[in-house]
Amino acid sequence: MQAPASDELRQFADVVREFATEQVAPHVLALDRTPFNDHDAGADPWQGIYQLGMLGVMLPEACGGLGQGLRALCTVVSTLAEVDASSASFVLVNELSQRLLLAAGEERRLSAMVETATSAREHALAFPAFNDPSDTEILPMATVTDGQWRLNGELESLALGSWANQALIPARILDEDDYSLFLVDLDMEAVTRAQVLTHGLHSLQVSDIQLAGANAVLVGTPGAGAAYFRSAVAPLEIASAAIAGGLTKACLDTALAYASDRHQGGRPIIDWSEVRSLLAGMLTRSATIELSIGLACELFDSGNDVSPQAKAAALFAHELACEVVNDGVQVLGGYGYMKDYGQEKRFRDARQLQTLFGTPSLRKLDLIESLTAIPTRTRSN
Amino acid sequence: MPTNAHREPAATSVAGDSVPGEATAAPTSFRSTPPRQSRRLVVSRVGDRPDFREHSLGLYRPPGARRGVIRQAEELVALARQFNVEVARPHVLELERATFEDHDFLPHDLVRACNDWGLFSLMIPKMFGGQGYDISAAVYFFEEIATVCPGVATLIGLQGLGTACLMVSGNLRVARRLFDDVLRGEQDGRACMFAVSVTEPNAGTDLQDLDLTGRGQIGCRATKVEGGYLVNGSKVFSSNGHFATWDVLYTCTDPARPVETMVVLAVRAGTEGFTLGRFEDKMGQRLSPASTLNFDNCFVPDDLVILDQAQRRGFSDSSDHDIMTRHFDYWLCMSRVSIAAMAAGAARGAFEAAAAFADETQLRGMPMIDHGWVQSRLAEMYANARLARLAYIDAAGANALSNLMTSKLVFHSQNAMPWKPMRKVLGRLWDHPRTSRLASRMLLDRGLDQRLGAGLGSMAKFAAADLAMKNCQIALELMGSQGTRHEGRVEKLLRDTKLLQIYEGTAQLNRVDTFKSLIAPGYQHGRLFAE
């Protein structure tokens, strides 16, 4: 991430960096072993994230957050991602859930939740962040009896689904065109969770859930879920690219250090021009991510909407990150393919990150819709 | 499945000594009586989608094409498809998950199944009692297996690599001894596998290109003592090391002149002074362990020396460097074209998964596969898989022209002679020192010009692996979060495929080798490693 704009932000970044180095780094391997640990690997580092206020960077102060802008959030997540992209994504999923509640006009409820929470787990809100619910074929059905909403059916890929106590669940209501959002207590008997083994970001503990008449609380207006999602997710697409930026920076640093140290043909491999060429490619991509995200933050924080160009840059950043991590493994050869240097984890995390907030190919197509107002969605004749 | 969560206890080998990691227990849930090649199987499986003949047009007209190779390829494709249906597809995800749960888990059941299906003797020449499949046919087998699991393809492919290393040394006496163990293992259900150990902790690429080896930091060395060699040092990333009964070890007597003093030894698991270290925690291909092998004053007797300076003495005016380059080129041609075929399989596997997903998924009011942009992506993936196949078929064709092991003469003599009844007599012939000496000289002293086979093998390997990576990436982008789920198979294919760009020479080294073999000879300049 580009140098923070203000002294205050710079100091904040230093705090996050120190925290990540001291309190996240020792847990990275265990976090990545999820779900095969015999303990909760996220307990300590994520509690630290919560205590430092990183679970509400953009949340207004009135709701118990830090009330900062997008640049502050991007600084936090990219700095965390230099050590562990899944911890950075943990911050982002929570930010998304909070923004969804805010978009739904649920400030009061959100304030109460933040105020009563005493731990990261109580604070966290699971959400199927790897999908755009509008493009999800199967969603639970919601019915209401005597003012009590109940959810039935299944939902796939709920991020933090096996970890958090509560979730924000998209579900359909009969006769509504679009989905609605509901708050659900995941610990109740009517909810069954099955953990999914994902490509990367393992510690996000993605779950498929079954709901059998689970009590739920409607959030905002029925059928308005998609509108809330679009409004809430826009700046976070840039923040997810900032995670990719932090991850690629660490990947490049690791590759540079290895190439300076490892010898081949009687000299450090960094002296071979083909290795330099790989490293140069990584640098150009990494720098492109960093600079474009910095610019996107500046535009957003000075009051502009997230433009299609900013979203495009964020999507492209993920593609670039996938290329960087591929070369990052390659520079290390066989060692890059093993867990020892962290490159293989970055390889997996970058690709998992690319699917955050929906299928990348579809999100690209939707950009053209936002530029031309011609719908991408196919209309049945 | 899986049933054996931990490494199996040491078993008694055919020779009566203890072999760590050797599979012994009775088969569990795998099919234990696999079909041997039969025409019925060929007809039933080659006709499966995708149609083999439609996919393999290049097979029918390569330069120097042999009709027998086509028949062999059909048999092997049918066998691979049957194996995928009955063993690989139902079990690989569960087995891989077990490796995540417990790093010490090794898929012994899978090894046993491969052994029961006769997959470890596929490429052992018929004159030694094996099934005698030609590499030009075997590549199709590797493609098929890799559509489901490149890790399983490596597990089986390593046996072919060990077989090739033995054969292209010309040392038929040692080759026969090791091949006999494999064949006996298939009879009594105790798998006998090969590992080939080249890479060292401080020398990877240096040991894959002999032009660099002299400048590398070589740590493992052999010292000539009376009656054999004493080996000290370590090897890393030895695929299947924890399963292998025999390790084909590349070392040297003088690390300052590693090529000139190179020694190739057969070291049996359990030999005093030879211990297995850890096996790596890899991103993918987790069903084929990459092992560390440690040698501490490990004595290898003269009768297990596959190739050393003494055997090369008396060759004509070829330098040790030239002789060893020929030896390496012979087996690298075969191994790299096999990996290219695995890459073509991975590219196809990613395409097939994405196409099936698009066909089954509704997207924005219509089947996903009806969207034009999806059709274009699928067409691109289809093309990539097919281009990868063309690359390896081309390289296999070059092999047939320039590799003595895959020449017409060897192929036809393999298939024309009644080897089985002659095995006893032949055993004596293979054991005679003069036979090995003659074979070594034929292969290594002057040999054939390997540039085309070596160059196209390298080119096919990096090109096909790049295409496979591209397909896995496109599949993930099409499938979104569904593609990143373990049970969706595509994310595993991506992890497995990445190794194809690294082992058996990185994609970068294979570019260098392509330049060396195919491009540089046509130009005035173009020295390698000159910068």
Side-chain angles (χ1 to χ4, degrees):
Chain A
M1 184 65 192
Q2 222 178 348
S6 66
D7 284 347
E8 192 187 348
L9 211 49
R10 200 166 295 123
Q11 284 168 9
F12 187 43
D14 289 342
V15 171
V16 175
R17 182 165 290 108
E18 191 181 326
F19 166 78
T21 308
E22 290 177 7
Q23 295 188 47
V24 179
H27 299 277
V28 169
L29 280 178
L31 285 164
D32 192 44
R33 260 195 65 74
T34 312
F36 303 115
N37 289 313
D38 51 10
H39 66 288
D40 177 9
D44 289 341
W46 292 1
Q47 184 64 16
I49 284 173
Y50 163 71
Q51 284 167 345
L52 273 178
M54 287 187 270
L55 291 188
V57 177
M58 289 179 75
L59 185 67
E61 288 180 86
C63 295
L66 296 181
Q68 297 291 311
L70 181 59
R71 181 181 281 274
L73 177 64
C74 288
T75 301
V76 167
V77 293
S78 69
T79 308
L80 277 174
E82 288 178 31
V83 173
D84 178 37
S86 63
S87 293
S89 303
F90 169 65
V91 169
L92 203 60
V93 171
N94 282 292
E95 200 77 36
L96 174 60
S97 299
Q98 290 167 1
R99 288 183 61 82
L100 284 166
L101 287 172
L102 288 175
E106 299 276 4
E107 290 92 344
R108 201 171 296 168
R109 189 189 303 277
L110 180 57
S111 301
M113 288 166 66
V114 170
E115 200 177 319
T116 53
T118 58
S119 67
R121 194 187 292 270
E122 286 176 20
H123 189 106
L125 257 182
F127 185 77
F130 289 104
N131 294 314
D132 176 345
S134 293
D135 289 324
T136 306
E137 253 186 278
I138 299 168
L139 288 178
M141 289 301 297
T143 50
V144 63
T145 313
D146 300 331
Q148 175 63 59
W149 287 95
R150 285 199 167 77
L151 303 188
N152 284 285
E154 58 186 289
L155 180 74
E156 283 192 339
S157 301
L158 181 65
L160 298 176
S162 292
W163 195 79
N165 293 340
Q166 294 186 88
L168 209 46
I169 303 286
R172 296 196 190 284
I173 301 171
L174 206 62
D175 297 332
E176 291 289 349
D177 285 343
D178 235 324
Y179 67 89
S180 311
L181 290 176
F182 294 86
L183 269 172
V184 175
D185 179 355
L186 292 173
D187 287 336
M188 72 174 87
E189 267 186 33
V191 180
T192 313
R193 311 186 231 187
Q195 186 136 357
V196 176
L197 182 56
T198 51
H199 186 61
L201 303 178
H202 288 166
S203 60
L204 283 190
Q205 306 198 35
V206 172
S207 283
D208 292 344
I209 62 167
Q210 291 279 347
L211 300 144
N215 286 346
V217 175
L218 176 69
V219 167
T221 310
Y228 300 152
F229 182 80
R230 277 196 293 276
S231 139
V233 85
L236 302 188
E237 291 186 49
I238 294 163
S240 79
I243 298 177
L247 183 149
T248 52
K249 183 179 180 303
C251 184
L252 175 60
D253 290 347
T254 303
L256 280 168
Y258 181 88
S260 304
D261 191 45
R262 175 81 174 178
H263 281 63
Q264 178 195 298
R267 53 169 131 154
I269 62 172
I270 201 167
D271 285 354
W272 294 105
S273 59
E274 174 59 359
V275 174
R276 277 178 184 249
S277 173
L278 277 178
L279 291 167
M282 292 171 70
L283 174 64
T284 52
R285 292 176 178 97
S286 179
T288 303
I289 298 172
E290 191 174 330
L291 293 172
S292 60
I293 299 309
L295 184 59
C297 287
E298 204 173 300
L299 288 169
F300 182 80
D301 285 345
S302 53
N304 296 294
D305 284 341
V306 178
S307 64
Q309 286 80 1
K311 288 184 179 188
L315 277 166
F316 190 48
H318 286 295
E319 289 179 25
L320 293 174
C322 288
E323 291 170 7
V324 171
V325 292
N326 192 44
D327 287 345
V329 170
Q330 200 66 27
V331 170
L332 273 71
Y335 287 108
Y337 196 69
M338 314 305 167
K339 301 239 178 250
D340 310 43
Y341 287 82
Q343 296 293 69
E344 74 84 32
K345 177 179 180 298
R346 294 181 188 111
F347 179 98
R348 291 182 287 106
D349 285 351
R351 281 173 172 78
Q352 188 72 42
L353 198 58
Q354 195 181 17
T355 63
L356 207 56
F357 310 139
T359 304
S361 309
L362 283 174
R363 288 164 62 204
K364 264 196 223 171
L365 287 174
D366 290 343
L367 285 177
I368 301 304
E369 177 176 345
S370 62
L371 276 181
T372 62
I374 298 171
T376 310
R377 284 156 206 268
T378 306
R379 305 282 182 209
S380 45
N381 296 320
Chain B
M1 280 292 300
T3 55
N4 52 345
H6 294 281
R7 217 169 299 171
E8 293 197 348
T12 305
S13 78
V14 283
D17 49 342
S18 179
V19 181
E22 191 173 343
T24 53
T28 53
S29 53
F30 288 121
R31 176 179 172 158
S32 58
T33 52
R36 294 290 170 179
Q37 307 317 305
S38 72
R39 196 67 200 165
R40 192 176 54 77
L41 177 64
V42 170
V43 170
S44 64
R45 282 286 167 203
V46 167
D48 284 359
R49 284 184 69 196
D51 183 90
F52 171 70
R53 288 174 192 87
E54 205 176 282
H55 262 242
S56 316
L57 294 174
L59 172 67
Y60 294 88
R61 289 182 192 276
R66 288 155 280 161
R67 196 175 299 165
V69 170
I70 297 171
R71 180 186 50 77
Q72 285 194 352
E74 286 181 341
E75 286 174 4
L76 285 175
V77 167
L79 177 68
R81 289 181 176 183
Q82 194 79 9
F83 184 79
N84 279 345
V85 166
E86 295 191 22
V87 178
R89 189 167 285 279
H91 294 300
V92 290
L93 289 182
E94 197 185 353
L95 287 169
E96 197 201 33
R97 198 179 165 95
T99 70
F100 284 124
E101 282 177 15
D102 175 7
H103 175 64
D104 288 336
F105 175 83
L106 284 166
H108 288 287
D109 286 349
L110 179 64
V111 169
R112 197 173 297 117
C114 292
N115 191 47
D116 290 342
W117 280 65
L119 305 186
F120 294 143
S121 66
L122 288 177
M123 290 172 69
I124 293 178
K126 283 186 178 172
M127 58 185 84
F128 291 96
Q131 298 177 58
Y133 283 105
D134 190 274
I135 183 71
S136 306
V139 283
Y140 290 88
F141 175 84
F142 294 128
E143 176 187 328
E144 286 298 325
I145 298 289
T147 58
V148 173
C149 181
V152 173
T154 296
L155 187 86
I156 301 165
L158 244 295
Q159 196 75 352
L161 176 61
T163 302
C165 289
L166 288 165
M167 288 305 295
V168 299
S169 70
N171 193 330
L172 305 183
R173 182 183 52 77
V174 178
R176 184 184 83 93
R177 177 166 173 183
L178 270 58
F179 293 158
D180 276 355
D181 279 0
V182 176
L183 299 170
R184 209 174 296 128
E186 287 189 348
Q187 293 299 316
D188 64 18
R190 297 163 192 267
C192 171
M193 293 175 69
F194 301 145
V196 177
S197 299
V198 178
T199 306
E200 297 191 6
N202 292 312
T205 295
D206 281 338
L207 284 163
Q208 287 282 339
D209 190 313
L210 297 190
D211 289 335
L212 285 174
T213 305
R215 307 188 214 174
Q217 298 174 16
I218 313 299
C220 186
R221 69 184 296 177
T223 308
K224 186 73 186 98
V225 294
E226 194 179 340
Y229 284 92
L230 271 186
V231 184
N232 282 285
S234 294
K235 292 284 175 180
V236 295
F237 304 161
S238 178
S239 296
N240 294 350
H242 276 70
F243 289 134
T245 303
W246 286 103
D247 182 56
V248 177
L249 171 69
Y250 284 79
T251 181
C252 62
T253 56
D254 180 3
R257 297 187 311 125
V259 180
E260 293 76 7
T261 65
M262 193 168 279
V263 178
V264 189
L265 304 170
V267 189
R268 192 180 174 87
T271 302
E272 193 177 343
F274 171 28
T275 52
L276 294 169
R278 67 171 188 172
F279 55 93
E280 302 290 340
D281 202 354
K282 292 190 290 183
M283 174 160 65
Q285 297 216 9
R286 295 176 67 87
L287 301 184
S288 164
S291 309
T292 297
L293 312 181
N294 299 313
F295 302 93
D296 180 13
N297 277 333
C298 174
F299 177 73
V300 182
D302 281 334
D303 65 350
L304 289 177
V305 175
I306 299 170
L307 190 59
D308 71 352
Q309 268 186 305
Q311 289 176 24
R312 301 196 288 269
R313 206 168 294 138
F315 280 16
S316 65
D317 52 356
S318 288
S319 67
D320 280 308
H321 188 281
D322 287 346
I323 292 168
M324 290 314 296
T325 299
R326 277 188 204 110
H327 172 73
F328 268 75
D329 278 352
Y330 269 131
W331 64 258
L332 281 174
C333 294
M334 292 191 266
S335 65
R336 286 179 179 169
V337 74
S338 303
I339 292 167
M342 292 177 200
R348 207 180 100 201
F351 159 75
E352 286 170 356
F357 176 81
D359 198 32
E360 291 160 5
T361 304
Q362 286 289 316
L363 179 68
R364 298 182 173 177
M366 63 199 288
M368 188 175 180
I369 203 166
D370 287 355
H371 290 258
W373 65 274
V374 174
Q375 293 167 0
S376 288
R377 292 292 83 73
L378 291 175
E380 192 179 340
M381 294 174 78
Y382 182 87
N384 288 342
R386 196 138 191 159
L387 288 169
R389 183 179 303 111
L390 285 176
Y392 85 68
I393 290 175
D394 211 20
N399 248 325
L401 287 179
S402 62
N403 195 331
L404 198 58
M405 293 311 303
T406 57
S407 66
K408 267 188 180 179
L409 174 72
V410 172
F411 183 83
H412 289 308
S413 63
Q414 280 250 32
N415 291 287
M417 298 282 284
W419 296 107
K420 220 170 183 177
M422 294 165 65
R423 268 190 76 189
K424 269 196 175 166
V425 183
L426 284 170
R428 270 181 242 131
L429 182 65
W430 305 143
D431 284 349
H432 200 286
R434 280 193 185 166
T435 312
S436 292
R437 185 153 188 79
L438 183 66
S440 294
R441 290 193 69 158
M442 279 176 66
L443 281 161
L444 305 176
D445 195 8
R446 293 230 163 78
L448 298 170
D449 184 351
Q450 290 292 296
R451 279 181 303 188
L452 186 65
L456 288 180
S458 296
M459 190 200 81
K461 181 186 176 283
F462 81 75
D466 289 356
L467 290 165
M469 285 296 288
K470 204 174 272 184
N471 267 16
C472 293
Q473 178 74 20
I474 296 172
L476 280 188
E477 286 175 11
L478 273 178
M479 296 167 73
S481 67
Q482 291 292 321
T484 64
R485 294 164 70 102
H486 187 244
E487 75 269 20
R489 296 181 184 270
V490 171
E491 72 84 27
K492 176 182 177 300
L493 270 179
L494 173 65
R495 286 185 287 105
D496 285 1
T497 300
K498 180 61 195 164
L499 188 57
L500 305 180
Q501 291 185 318
I502 297 172
Y503 68 0
E504 212 65 356
T506 61
Q508 284 64 41
L509 181 69
N510 276 289
R511 282 170 166 81
V512 171
D513 286 348
T514 302
F515 177 85
K516 176 171 73 177
S517 300
L518 302 179
I519 302 170
Y523 295 88
Q524 190 182 345
H525 301 296
R527 285 181 302 133
L528 295 171
F529 311 119
E531 56 192 345

